[in-house]
Amino acid sequence: MAEPTLYLFDGSNLFHAGAYADREELVDQLASFVALRGARGVVVFDGVGADRSIGPLAVRFAPHADDVLERLAAENRQHEAVLVVTSDAAVRGTAGQEVRKQGSRAFLPELGGATHREDEASRVRDRLDPTTRAALERLRRGE
């Protein structure tokens, strides 16, 4: 199956499956995840809140997030590759055969690698230990 272009996230499931301090931490990580993949995403939380977008991630609130996830899967599954991330068996069952499904806990390791941090070294030389850097420098000089 093709790489998903639309990710549908059950926000409450993911929040409770992971060790997040608050919803904003989860939302930030999901926004990074979809942006790094060049995809779109929608995270739906149960309850009340202000709908908004963070880059390619839409954040929505609904009295019943499951209903919204099911509807979005049905509306988009014929036009693009969709992945629904939820632990809710009913949503996974009604999303349709064309839709990929993944449990929240199973998805967390994939989500964990999606963070981009500006305070991390971004050059290879900054990630090498001093011995390796010295050896490479000697090679560069032809020694």
Side-chain angles (χ1 to χ4, degrees):
M1 182 171 252
E3 185 67 24
T5 56
L6 176 62
Y7 289 84
L8 302 175
F9 303 106
D10 186 327
S12 298
N13 274 188
L14 277 169
F15 180 77
H16 293 296
Y20 297 100
D22 55 30
R23 283 183 176 171
E24 287 308 306
E25 182 182 0
L26 172 60
V27 167
D28 287 344
Q29 200 163 16
L30 291 172
S32 293
F33 177 84
V34 294
L36 288 170
R37 279 162 180 71
R40 297 181 309 116
V42 180
V43 57
V44 185
F45 290 100
D46 290 305
V48 179
D51 291 352
R52 61 194 166 107
S53 291
I54 301 172
L57 179 72
V59 181
R60 296 197 182 161
F61 294 86
H64 303 285
D66 296 350
D67 296 343
V68 175
L69 292 168
E70 290 170 3
R71 182 179 51 78
L72 289 171
E75 288 174 357
N76 293 285
R77 65 187 176 211
Q78 297 299 325
H79 309 290
E80 61 187 315
V82 178
L83 172 67
V84 176
V85 179
T86 182
S87 296
D88 190 305
V91 175
R92 292 169 66 150
T94 58
Q97 289 181 321
E98 306 90 347
V99 175
R100 284 180 43 200
K101 300 123 186 149
Q102 191 167 10
S104 297
R105 285 200 190 281
F107 182 74
L108 285 174
E110 191 174 342
L111 181 59
T115 15
H116 172 75
R117 299 178 51 128
E118 292 295 329
D119 60 336
E120 292 178 355
S122 60
R123 295 181 303 238
V124 172
R125 73 173 183 210
D126 295 335
R127 297 179 186 199
L128 298 175
D129 63 272
T131 305
T132 304
R133 285 181 70 185
L136 288 172
E137 182 61 24
R138 285 191 305 276
L139 284 172
R140 186 180 72 83
R141 291 182 182 177
E143 298 173 1

